Amino acid sequence: MINPKHKAAQEAASYVKSGMIIGVGTGSTTAYFIQELVKLFQQGIDFATIPTSKATAVILQQFELPVLSMEEVSTIDLTVDGADEIDKELQLIKGGGGALLQEKMVAFVSKKYIIIADESKCVEQLGHYPLPVEVIPFGYKAVKMVIENTYGIKVVMRMKDGQPFITDHGHYILDCHFKRIDDAPSLHSHLNNITGVVDNGLFLNMADAAIIGQSDGKVFTVSI
Ligand code: 5RP
């Protein structure tokens, strides 16, 4: 049976039309969407893509899909991306792959923003998944301490191969173990008001729809 993430990606591909500029997300679910984009391109559907990360740009280029930079476009017709948590109001936690900043920029200029995921990403309450907070390297320990002390939570500096994980834009990631987030809008603005924070992984009031692939092979769409 087809993988639920792949099923969601196939459904999202039905929104792609000739002439569109498509924002392409980052992660394992989006990788299936790229497979579907390749098929559409080979069928003669003509579109251009905007990647949400260096990793996605490399994959798009490997498949010889047209890739544009953000500076070349004023708007994006459709962006399809994955998520780490999705609640019933389509509020999201993203950034598990460390690409949250560029993902949020691309989403921000998109006319339509669709999330694809399997059922494991659907939650009643945001916050079980550690919230990624992107910070500048200078003074990151002070920012980490402010978040720990303000919220009384564990904050973990993201590492890769024994070194700090560096985002595509040269920043660090602090993974914040809130366990539950009751007031996402105020948390979002408080975190982003801390000097040294670039952005955080709460994507609020951004998604137009979430396409969820189920283990029984069906998909369902939640839309606003
Ligand atoms: C990357 C992301 C991803 O969309 C998110 O982590 C989901 O990834 P996957 O599809 O591999 O589960 O936000 O920064």
XYZ file of all heavy atoms in Angstrom, residues 98-150:
416
model
N 14.998 22.251 10.533
C 15.853 23.425 10.696
C 15.668 24.484 9.631
O 16.451 25.434 9.556
N 14.601 24.364 8.829
C 14.433 25.304 7.703
C 13.338 26.334 7.959
O 12.841 26.967 7.032
C 14.137 24.518 6.429
N 12.966 26.528 9.235
C 11.753 27.303 9.521
C 11.761 28.726 8.977
O 10.735 29.250 8.553
C 11.476 27.305 11.023
C 12.431 28.090 11.926
C 11.873 29.443 12.290
C 12.692 27.294 13.190
N 12.925 29.377 8.958
C 12.958 30.789 8.567
C 12.591 30.958 7.092
O 11.694 31.737 6.739
C 14.345 31.376 8.856
C 14.537 32.843 8.545
C 13.560 33.717 9.324
C 15.981 33.266 8.867
N 13.283 30.192 6.256
C 12.997 30.296 4.824
C 11.612 29.739 4.504
O 10.890 30.267 3.662
C 14.090 29.550 4.052
C 14.145 29.953 2.590
C 15.409 29.445 1.912
O 16.489 29.479 2.495
N 15.274 28.990 0.691
N 11.210 28.696 5.247
C 9.862 28.137 5.055
C 8.801 29.198 5.373
O 7.801 29.327 4.668
C 9.658 26.925 5.969
C 10.432 25.697 5.520
C 10.345 24.532 6.490
O 10.129 24.758 7.697
O 10.508 23.411 6.039
N 9.038 29.959 6.437
C 8.041 30.970 6.814
C 8.014 32.118 5.803
O 6.957 32.631 5.462
C 8.309 31.494 8.234
C 7.061 32.025 8.914
C 7.337 32.532 10.313
C 6.965 31.538 11.385
N 6.994 32.120 12.747
N 9.181 32.496 5.306
C 9.243 33.555 4.286
C 8.467 33.146 3.037
O 7.698 33.929 2.474
C 10.707 33.825 3.880
C 11.526 34.611 4.843
S 10.934 36.286 5.094
C 10.979 36.932 3.426
N 8.705 31.910 2.596
C 8.043 31.426 1.378
C 6.525 31.337 1.614
O 5.725 31.764 0.777
C 8.651 30.070 0.936
C 7.822 29.424 -0.164
C 10.090 30.260 0.476
N 6.136 30.827 2.783
C 4.708 30.727 3.104
C 4.051 32.108 3.124
O 2.938 32.297 2.643
C 4.535 30.044 4.460
N 4.787 33.058 3.672
C 4.290 34.424 3.862
C 3.894 35.094 2.536
O 2.949 35.871 2.489
C 5.424 35.190 4.566
C 5.225 36.645 4.748
C 4.215 37.131 5.550
C 6.081 37.545 4.133
C 4.050 38.496 5.725
C 5.921 38.907 4.306
C 4.897 39.383 5.100
N 4.603 34.790 1.463
C 4.289 35.432 0.174
C 3.464 34.518 -0.734
O 3.280 34.821 -1.917
C 5.562 35.915 -0.571
C 6.276 36.992 0.204
C 6.498 34.768 -0.889
N 2.947 33.426 -0.177
C 2.192 32.471 -0.994
C 0.696 32.763 -0.950
O 0.151 33.040 0.113
C 2.429 31.041 -0.493
O 3.788 30.710 -0.646
N 0.064 32.669 -2.132
C -1.386 32.888 -2.183
C -2.109 31.712 -1.532
O -3.157 31.876 -0.931
C -1.831 33.016 -3.639
C -1.375 34.295 -4.313
C -1.976 34.366 -5.710
C -1.166 35.243 -6.603
N -1.363 34.966 -8.020
N -1.577 30.523 -1.710
C -2.184 29.329 -1.107
C -1.073 28.507 -0.448
O -0.024 28.286 -1.056
C -2.893 28.505 -2.192
C -3.883 27.522 -1.669
C -4.772 26.994 -2.799
C -5.832 26.056 -2.298
N -6.881 26.681 -1.507
N -1.332 28.083 0.790
C -0.307 27.371 1.574
C -0.920 26.073 2.082
O -1.821 26.085 2.926
C 0.133 28.272 2.730
C 1.256 27.734 3.581
C 2.373 27.122 3.024
C 1.205 27.850 4.967
C 3.406 26.647 3.824
C 2.239 27.378 5.773
C 3.330 26.780 5.192
O 4.351 26.315 5.981
N -0.434 24.971 1.528
C -1.002 23.661 1.856
C 0.033 22.811 2.596
O 1.177 22.687 2.155
C -1.458 22.931 0.568
C -2.593 23.711 -0.105
C -1.919 21.514 0.883
C -3.114 23.076 -1.376
N -0.406 22.233 3.706
C 0.455 21.343 4.502
C 0.114 19.894 4.158
O -1.074 19.547 4.020
C 0.220 21.607 6.012
C 0.648 23.035 6.382
C 0.955 20.589 6.876
C 2.103 23.368 6.099
N 1.147 19.088 3.988
C 0.944 17.656 3.762
C 1.621 16.880 4.896
O 2.708 17.247 5.342
C 1.470 17.194 2.379
C 2.918 17.651 2.142
C 0.561 17.701 1.269
C 3.518 17.128 0.832
N 0.937 15.831 5.344
C 1.462 15.092 6.504
C 0.742 13.756 6.623
O -0.288 13.533 5.981
C 1.234 15.914 7.778
N 1.284 12.905 7.488
C 0.517 11.717 7.876
C -0.182 12.012 9.206
O 0.035 13.074 9.812
C 1.400 10.460 7.919
C 2.512 10.561 8.959
O 2.398 11.383 9.896
O 3.498 9.812 8.844
N -1.003 11.071 9.643
C -1.839 11.307 10.840
C -1.033 11.565 12.104
O -1.535 12.181 13.040
C -2.720 10.073 11.108
C -3.809 9.868 10.112
C -4.404 8.474 10.269
O -3.685 7.481 10.023
O -5.585 8.381 10.660
N 0.216 11.098 12.132
C 1.021 11.244 13.356
C 1.268 12.714 13.697
O 1.619 13.041 14.826
C 2.362 10.517 13.207
O 3.182 11.189 12.272
N 1.084 13.609 12.727
C 1.368 15.035 12.950
C 0.164 15.793 13.520
O 0.292 16.955 13.911
C 1.816 15.704 11.644
C 2.994 15.032 10.954
C 4.231 15.093 11.814
C 5.454 14.460 11.174
N 5.982 15.137 10.031
N -1.011 15.137 13.535
C -2.231 15.828 13.991
C -2.310 15.746 15.518
O -2.220 14.648 16.087
C -3.461 15.175 13.381
S -3.463 15.294 11.590
N -2.472 16.891 16.169
C -2.494 16.930 17.636
C -3.693 17.734 18.135
O -4.202 18.608 17.435
C -1.190 17.567 18.204
C 0.031 16.741 17.836
C -1.016 19.009 17.736
N -4.112 17.426 19.358
C -5.160 18.220 20.020
C -4.577 19.535 20.494
O -5.232 20.572 20.482
C -5.696 17.459 21.240
C -6.574 16.253 20.911
C -7.873 16.658 20.235
O -8.449 17.687 20.630
O -8.290 15.946 19.304
N -3.337 19.473 20.943
C -2.692 20.625 21.610
C -1.260 20.732 21.100
O -0.533 19.742 21.115
C -2.669 20.308 23.119
C -1.935 21.278 23.973
C -2.877 22.263 24.613
O -3.969 21.890 25.005
N -2.480 23.501 24.699
N -0.863 21.923 20.677
C 0.522 22.116 20.220
C 1.487 22.066 21.409
O 1.130 22.455 22.517
C 0.676 23.478 19.541
C -0.032 23.706 18.206
C 0.236 25.133 17.725
C 0.374 22.703 17.141
N 2.708 21.631 21.168
C 3.759 21.797 22.176
C 4.462 20.533 22.606
O 5.511 20.609 23.236
N 3.874 19.373 22.301
C 4.583 18.137 22.666
C 5.894 18.068 21.859
O 6.944 17.726 22.385
C 3.707 16.918 22.389
C 4.378 15.629 22.755
N 4.598 15.268 24.063
C 4.926 14.652 21.999
C 5.237 14.112 24.082
N 5.464 13.718 22.841
N 5.810 18.420 20.575
C 7.023 18.479 19.753
C 7.816 19.724 20.172
O 7.251 20.823 20.259
C 6.636 18.570 18.268
C 7.821 18.377 17.348
C 8.163 17.122 16.883
C 8.618 19.462 16.975
C 9.271 16.932 16.063
C 9.725 19.280 16.162
C 10.040 18.013 15.710
O 11.140 17.836 14.906
N 9.110 19.585 20.438
C 9.885 20.756 20.890
C 9.852 21.885 19.862
O 10.095 21.655 18.672
C 11.307 20.197 21.037
C 11.141 18.712 21.149
C 9.907 18.352 20.376
N 9.525 23.082 20.336
C 9.395 24.223 19.428
C 10.782 24.752 19.053
O 11.541 25.210 19.921
C 8.589 25.334 20.114
C 8.415 26.613 19.280
C 7.514 26.362 18.068
C 7.847 27.743 20.133
N 11.122 24.739 17.751
C 12.422 25.277 17.346
C 12.407 26.811 17.354
O 11.472 27.438 16.860
C 12.595 24.774 15.903
C 11.535 23.724 15.710
C 10.415 24.115 16.622
N 13.446 27.376 17.961
C 13.604 28.834 17.961
C 14.955 29.128 17.316
O 15.990 28.639 17.777
C 13.531 29.399 19.395
C 13.801 30.904 19.395
C 12.154 29.123 20.004
N 14.932 29.906 16.233
C 16.171 30.208 15.497
C 16.788 31.480 16.086
O 16.106 32.493 16.227
C 15.838 30.383 14.002
C 17.064 30.561 13.138
C 16.846 30.151 11.688
O 15.850 29.477 11.376
O 17.696 30.520 10.856
N 18.070 31.383 16.463
C 18.738 32.512 17.140
C 20.068 32.819 16.458
O 20.681 31.928 15.852
C 19.014 32.197 18.640
C 17.711 31.983 19.393
C 19.901 30.965 18.807
N 20.517 34.064 16.599
C 21.857 34.359 16.077
C 22.884 33.727 17.031
O 22.631 33.623 18.240
C 22.098 35.876 15.887
C 22.051 36.635 17.205
C 21.107 36.471 14.895
C 22.652 38.036 17.106
N 24.030 33.299 16.498
C 25.027 32.647 17.365
C 25.512 33.562 18.494
O 25.688 33.104 19.627
C 26.168 32.291 16.394
C 25.459 32.080 15.085
C 24.368 33.129 15.058
N 25.691 34.852 18.219
C 26.176 35.777 19.251
C 25.173 35.836 20.408
O 24.000 36.154 20.197
C 26.379 37.182 18.654
C 26.856 38.185 19.657
C 28.190 38.283 19.988
C 25.953 39.026 20.297
C 28.629 39.198 20.934
C 26.378 39.950 21.241
C 27.729 40.043 21.559
N 25.629 35.520 21.596
C 24.774 35.647 22.782
C 23.681 34.599 22.894
O 22.748 34.769 23.680
N 23.816 33.488 22.167
C 22.720 32.502 22.183
C 22.495 31.903 23.579
O 21.361 31.533 23.926
C 22.966 31.396 21.138
C 23.946 30.341 21.589
C 23.520 29.188 22.239
C 25.319 30.515 21.388
C 24.430 28.238 22.673
C 26.222 29.567 21.823
C 25.774 28.436 22.476
O 26.665 27.501 22.914
N 23.577 31.848 24.399
C 23.416 31.263 25.743
C 22.518 32.134 26.609
O 21.757 31.640 27.437
C 24.780 31.087 26.420
C 25.499 29.842 25.949
C 26.705 29.537 26.812
C 27.392 28.283 26.288
N 28.725 28.107 26.817
N 22.628 33.452 26.413
C 21.772 34.379 27.173
C 20.310 34.185 26.764
O 19.406 34.172 27.611
C 22.212 35.823 26.926
N 20.072 34.018 25.456
C 18.697 33.819 24.968
C 18.149 32.495 25.516
O 17.005 32.418 25.980
C 18.667 33.830 23.417
C 17.272 33.483 22.905
C 19.110 35.180 22.880
N 18.997 31.467 25.493
C 18.587 30.146 26.008
C 18.154 30.279 27.477
O 17.105 29.763 27.886
C 19.772 29.186 25.860
C 19.517 27.762 26.298
C 20.732 26.903 25.911
C 20.581 25.451 26.315
N 20.746 25.187 27.723
N 18.947 31.019 28.252
C 18.657 31.174 29.681
C 17.358 31.960 29.897
O 16.558 31.610 30.776
C 19.828 31.887 30.359
C 20.055 31.448 31.793
S 21.418 32.336 32.535
C 22.753 31.925 31.478
N 17.158 32.994 29.096
C 15.918 33.785 29.229
C 14.705 32.880 28.993
O 13.725 32.911 29.751
C 15.906 34.977 28.227
C 14.514 35.591 28.129
C 16.909 36.038 28.652
N 14.764 32.062 27.952
C 13.612 31.197 27.640
C 13.423 30.163 28.759
O 12.299 29.939 29.238
C 13.779 30.512 26.258
C 13.860 31.566 25.146
C 12.605 29.555 25.990
C 14.208 31.021 23.773
N 14.523 29.563 29.207
C 14.427 28.558 30.295
C 13.814 29.166 31.548
O 12.908 28.594 32.159
C 15.826 28.013 30.628
C 16.323 26.975 29.645
C 17.813 26.669 29.802
O 18.546 27.462 30.434
O 18.236 25.653 29.267
N 14.301 30.355 31.921
C 13.844 30.968 33.170
C 12.429 31.514 33.067
O 11.644 31.423 34.016
C 14.810 32.083 33.605
C 16.158 31.501 33.992
O 16.265 30.303 34.243
N 17.191 32.331 34.013
N 12.094 32.089 31.915
C 10.751 32.662 31.750
C 9.689 31.572 31.799
O 8.631 31.750 32.411
C 10.638 33.429 30.405
O 11.676 34.395 30.357
C 9.285 34.103 30.254
